[in-house]
Amino acid sequence: MRKVKKRRGATRHRPWPLSQRPGFLIRRLHQIHVALFQEACGEFEITPLQYSLLSALAVRQTADQTTLAADIALDRTTTTGALKRLAARNFVERAVNDEDRRARLCKLTPVGAALLARIEASARAAHRATLENLSEQEQAAFVDMMQRIVAAHSNRDSGSAIFD
């Protein structure tokens, strides 16, 4: 059998198991959370993204779509589409901004506020279920670590990422 010569300086890389890659685990955790959210909140026919938008509007009262996109760390186009779907169901009001005719100001409708109040317990249950295999101390530490990572990379988004 012939010996294969190793090039000088070349190192052999061991495969990196998916189960040890932070990006893979974060994506899987997101998939799991979305499934748990659907199980807990399916009757409301609201996605986690729409729930985030309703929550952000509840805090801000009135906000333009660009501000809401920044609040939930999403691009304006996706945010606008979600807001249009919420408006079609009478959960959100989108009015032309008198100060900037190109912008839309959004606010919760009474129907949207009522939905948010009804879904809150179920949404919290989904969030708890996502972390239920951790002790309370581990949950607090995990959330703290996620907040630190997000804060450290707050200037990054996936808008410039390359996808297959």
Side-chain angles (χ1 to χ4, degrees):
M1 191 183 300
R2 218 173 110 189
K3 281 189 176 180
V4 177
K5 288 186 180 180
K6 215 158 96 170
R7 283 190 312 180
R8 190 176 202 172
T11 59
R12 188 155 186 231
H13 295 284
R14 287 188 212 136
W16 190 8
L18 289 173
S19 64
Q20 296 175 6
R21 298 179 192 180
F24 173 79
L25 292 170
I26 291 165
R27 184 179 61 77
R28 281 294 296 131
L29 186 56
H30 179 258
Q31 290 172 328
I32 290 163
H33 174 70
V34 169
L36 290 167
F37 187 93
Q38 274 309 110
E39 287 173 21
C41 303
E43 69 183 273
F44 302 103
E45 298 179 0
I46 292 290
T47 67
L49 165 63
Q50 292 170 334
Y51 172 66
S52 293
L53 281 168
L54 293 174
S55 299
L57 272 172
V59 170
R60 287 202 177 265
Q61 303 295 310
T62 302
D64 62 83
Q65 294 174 164
T66 302
T67 299
L68 288 170
D71 283 352
I72 65 168
L74 209 61
D75 64 277
R76 275 190 337 200
T77 303
T78 304
T79 301
T80 299
L83 286 166
K84 284 179 179 179
R85 286 186 289 284
L86 289 168
R89 295 177 64 192
N90 195 32
F91 297 141
V92 171
E93 195 175 285
R94 295 172 63 241
V96 174
N97 185 346
D98 290 335
E99 295 174 18
D100 180 356
R101 306 287 299 160
R102 298 168 296 168
R104 298 277 182 151
L105 289 176
C106 302
K107 69 178 186 177
L108 279 179
T109 64
V111 175
L115 170 71
L116 192 56
R118 285 193 336 268
I119 196 174
E120 191 65 29
S122 298
R124 285 180 186 249
H127 286 277
R128 280 192 307 275
T130 301
L131 303 178
E132 72 185 351
N133 293 319
L134 302 176
S135 69
E136 285 187 33
Q137 185 178 0
E138 288 171 326
Q139 289 178 24
F142 183 64
V143 170
D144 178 66
M145 287 186 274
M146 288 189 296
Q147 289 170 334
R148 287 180 15 220
I149 292 168
V150 168
H153 299 283
S154 63
N155 62 332
R156 290 182 169 85
D157 63 25
S158 63
S160 60
I162 299 172
F163 298 100
D164 287 341

